Amino acid sequence: MQTMIEASCHCGTVHLEIEVPPSEVTECNCSICRRYGVLWAYYTPEQVNVSSPDPPTDVYVWNGRTTEFHHCQICGCVSHWTPTDRDRDRMGVNARLMEPEILAGARVRHLDGADTDEYID
C-alpha cells in the first residue's frame, strides 16, 4: 500500500494528502508567487485531498481571475491554488508545506512568470 504524502499549514487546520511526492517543483517570480514565497507542485485535482473546516479557506483571486489562491483562515499560510475554470485539470500545492525530506528529492525549476512565462533553467 502506498503511503500518502501529507502537507499542512502551520497551525494544521488545512491538511492536504497527495498520492505521490513531487519529482519537481516550480519557483515562480511573478508578483504574487514571489511575495508568497511558495514552491508549486502540480497535480490533478484527483491526486489531492484537501481537508479543512467549513468554510475551508479564504480565497484570493486577482488579475485575469483564472486562479484561486487558498489560505488558511487561522494562520494565513498559502496552501494551494485551483483554477476558476473547473475544466482545467491541474492545481498547485504549496510544496513548502510538505516535510523537508519529501521536498529534498524534488528538482526546483525556475519560472519567469513576471515576464516570459517560460522556464529559465
Side-chain angles (χ1 to χ4, degrees):
M1 183 171 163
Q2 183 174 335
T3 303
M4 297 292 276
I5 303 302
E6 296 185 10
S8 69
C9 63
H10 189 257
C11 71
T13 300
V14 179
H15 185 84
L16 300 98
E17 290 182 330
I18 303 107
E19 292 180 2
V20 295
S23 58
E24 72 178 36
V25 294
T26 297
E27 181 178 318
C28 177
N29 68 354
C30 78
S31 62
I32 195 164
C33 293
R34 176 175 54 83
R35 286 175 173 85
Y36 284 160
V38 296
L39 288 175
W40 295 118
Y42 301 116
Y43 295 98
T44 64
E46 293 77 30
Q47 292 176 294
V48 181
N49 178 39
V50 180
S51 60
S52 53
D54 186 28
T57 54
D58 283 330
V59 175
Y60 178 67
V61 181
W62 72 291
N63 201 9
R65 303 208 170 272
T66 60
T67 306
E68 295 176 342
F69 293 92
H70 294 258
H71 309 78
C72 174
Q73 292 183 340
I74 307 296
C75 67
C77 285
V78 177
S79 56
H80 62 289
W81 65 258
T82 56
T84 54
D85 177 358
R86 299 301 180 217
D87 290 332
R88 282 182 48 206
D89 197 30
R90 180 167 107 151
M91 67 179 289
V93 171
N94 181 1
R96 292 198 189 273
L97 303 184
M98 297 176 187
E99 290 298 322
E101 306 81 48
I102 301 297
L103 191 54
R107 173 184 177 206
V108 179
R109 303 279 323 265
H110 296 89
L111 179 66
D112 182 15
D115 189 31
T116 66
D117 276 336
E118 294 180 9
Y119 283 96
I120 53 176
D121 54 351

